[in-house]
Amino acid sequence: ILAVATARGSAPLTSPFSLQFSGYQWEVRQTSAGGGAYDRKNVWTDQRGFLHLRITGQPGQWVNAEVKLSRSLGYGSYRFVVEDVAHLEPSAVFAVSGLDDEGRREMDLQVSRWGQAEDSNAQFIVQPWDVPANSVRFSAPPGTLADWINWEPARVTFRTLQESKRKMPAVAEHVFTSGVPAAGSERFHIALYVYDHSPHPMQNEVEIVLESFEFLP
């Protein structure tokens, strides 16, 4: 296996397009066209094993970051612990998504204002998003958050809570029982990218840090 060193003194990639995070292998997206540019140098793990995703570049020339699990895990409970996301600019998007290689059968946790500075900054979605019952918006607060996606046949439960306040009520929680995709060839993706169709264009580079990922079947 060819080891390729990433930037910022991080752990090496296990292959030119993959890395290890929380005991799982993740494929790193590398493309210069088709939905924006993605560079594997914008993804790395540090000495603590935390996963970093970064948007780099300048206005009009942004380069994004994305990883996806190397295999489908199917039904079960997916847990992601992510450090502060409240600082994202209105045009930045942080997304945890389950979908297949054709971009279908999708469900998402998305943190973004989609260019609208006064909007709530997060949502749970079962695609298609333009069906009113398929999305629930909420405000993700500053600080470290734990996000759960509990996926069962014909049912998916999303939950976000503050990691430092586990005994407090969740920041947001919703159960979808309509339009929930059946398990198949889907894999979970973690992405940080720029929403281009915005009245408030992206101005600065930004970084997101995930502390851990867990899966329980």
Side-chain angles (χ1 to χ4, degrees):
I1 297 176
L2 175 63
V4 178
T6 59
R8 303 169 180 83
S10 60
L13 299 173
T14 57
S15 78
F17 298 96
S18 67
L19 56 71
Q20 293 287 326
F21 169 55
S22 285
Y24 290 84
Q25 186 171 7
W26 301 77
E27 297 176 7
V28 183
R29 186 172 179 179
Q30 174 79 28
T31 180
S32 58
Y38 288 78
D39 193 332
R40 67 179 184 268
K41 293 180 181 178
N42 284 356
V43 180
W44 70 96
T45 54
D46 63 26
Q47 293 180 347
R48 302 167 295 176
F50 292 179
L51 177 68
H52 296 245
L53 291 87
R54 188 167 178 81
I55 296 171
T56 58
Q58 57 190 349
Q61 297 179 326
W62 297 114
V63 181
N64 308 303
E66 182 177 338
V67 297
K68 66 180 177 181
L69 280 167
S70 63
R71 60 189 178 93
S72 175
L73 300 178
Y75 295 126
S77 180
Y78 296 78
R79 178 176 181 266
F80 303 80
V81 176
V82 59
E83 296 180 359
D84 184 65
V85 293
H87 67 287
L88 292 178
E89 292 184 33
S91 296
V93 183
F94 168 67
V96 174
S97 307
L99 69 160
D100 62 23
D101 289 340
E102 285 72 45
R104 300 173 302 183
R105 300 149 38 78
E106 183 176 350
M107 51 190 174
D108 311 89
L109 162 67
Q110 298 172 337
V111 177
S112 181
R113 291 185 170 88
W114 302 104
Q116 304 300 321
E118 304 305 317
D119 277 7
S120 299
N121 67 342
Q123 59 188 359
F124 305 137
I125 294 181
V126 173
Q127 297 290 349
W129 63 269
D130 52 356
V131 175
N134 283 9
S135 64
V136 174
R137 291 195 63 81
F138 65 97
S139 294
T144 301
L145 302 177
D147 297 308
W148 269 273
I149 302 174
N150 188 26
W151 185 25
E152 306 168 82
R155 179 186 178 95
V156 60
T157 303
F158 288 86
R159 181 182 300 112
T160 292
L161 57 81
Q162 292 178 283
E163 182 70 354
S164 62
K165 300 178 180 180
R166 292 189 180 186
K167 295 182 180 180
M168 302 292 288
V171 171
E173 183 173 2
H174 190 77
V175 179
F176 293 96
T177 56
S178 177
V180 177
S185 60
E186 79 301 318
R187 292 187 279 174
F188 270 81
H189 298 230
I190 306 171
L192 182 65
Y193 61 95
V194 176
Y195 174 61
D196 290 327
H197 307 287
S198 169
H200 298 282
M202 190 83 170
Q203 297 298 313
N204 302 289
E205 296 185 345
V206 69
E207 184 176 316
I208 288 292
V209 180
L210 287 96
E211 297 184 1
S212 64
F213 164 74
E214 296 177 70
F215 171 73
L216 294 174

